[in-house]
Amino acid sequence: MRICFTWAIFYYMFSLIYHSKFSIQRKTLSYWALWLISITLNIFLSGYANLLIAIIIYFVLWSDKKIDYYLINIILLSFLVKFLAIIIPSPILMHFFPSPDVVSYGFNLIINLIEFIFSITFVYFYNYFKLNDFFQSRENPMTSIVLGYVYIIFFMFLKLTQHFKAYAGLITGMFIFILIQCIFIILIFSFTRRRQRKVYRDRFSEEQVKNLKLYTDQLEHDQLKLRHFKHDYKNLLFSLKSVAEQQNYELMNQALDNLENYSDDYLNNLSMDLYQDLNNVKNPYLKSLLISKLNTINQKNIVCFFNCTDELNNLPINIFDLIRLLDRAIDNAIHFTERQEHGKIQLAITQENNQLAFLINNTLANLPTTEREQDYLELLHIKELKKKYSNIFIQHSKNAKWFRFHITLITKEDKK
């Protein structure tokens, strides 16, 4: 009976901290099946069944082709909580039940009650500190390795204590030493992650300075061209005035054509129209990215239209996640447009009600190719972002001429 309640508590806690995309019906059937399998394996293999149960849980709930580190971390975390619910109250229970060989219903009831209270308390703090966002964002095995290491230590301590009761003091001392080692490893892991994040931010800042320099250099170049244009424009106006005084209409039309052609040539090669809406983008990281991409598009002689009519201050998701997504999405648009003779790219940022949208559209080539825009979408890690953020919606579509990639972010409504 105790085993049934133990695994029922385990899967109840697991269902509260693991956010799956499965339907309620499928999740219910999966957890019932896992509960029965776990009880059966626990009866025949005792505590050694945990590894096999963990593997079965993973494959039952695994939905992606890639390794799901989020699921692995939640499985390991759940087993750690299960162990802690047994280990922590053990010294207290030994005073009330000095003979563990004598098993009573009261003893089993107290054990299950402690497990339940401990699990519910853990779920409360798990949600309070928003740990689910942390585990969903892990895309590498480092967190799983640390959790797995700590799990093995707890498991070995529990088994050694059960088999060598006479050396309980020695085993406890060894456990404390290994636990300190675990804490030391976790601290090193945290320090390394922070250092990597700082290196990434520093690298990003250097890239930002570089992009801002490109922006200022382009503006200086346009300013210099404007001075020459102003000087030449005065000369053309003076020539036009002289022709007008002669009342030679043929020469006047020719002079007007020259003036029009010169003005068009100058204005078409000016980048001020391309960059003018960047003033509305207040986030320095986002502005830096847009400067870099607009400059790349301009250098590749791709016709580009950028629009951001409303001032953009706050972003509802982490700026670095948004930058990575936009960076790869715009690179895809450039990749499929630079080989076109008359390729065009449309970039826009729109705000309406509580929605913030990023629009990236590019023309399609008429030439046959084996490359598909959809194949490059896998590089954007869209599934991971949707797991991490519930307020992001990503859509893509295409017709005979255009491929459209739209990112919509739901922002919080203003409180009145």
Side-chain angles (χ1 to χ4, degrees), residues 139-153:
E139 298 179 2
N140 57 68
M142 287 304 301
T143 305
S144 303
I145 291 172
V146 172
L147 288 174
Y149 180 79
V150 176
Y151 167 80
I152 291 171
I153 296 302

Side-chain angles (χ1 to χ4, degrees), residues 351-364:
Q351 300 180 71
E352 185 177 355
N353 298 329
N354 63 332
Q355 293 186 358
L356 171 64
F358 296 86
L359 315 178
I360 304 170
N361 306 329
N362 63 272
T363 53
L364 298 174

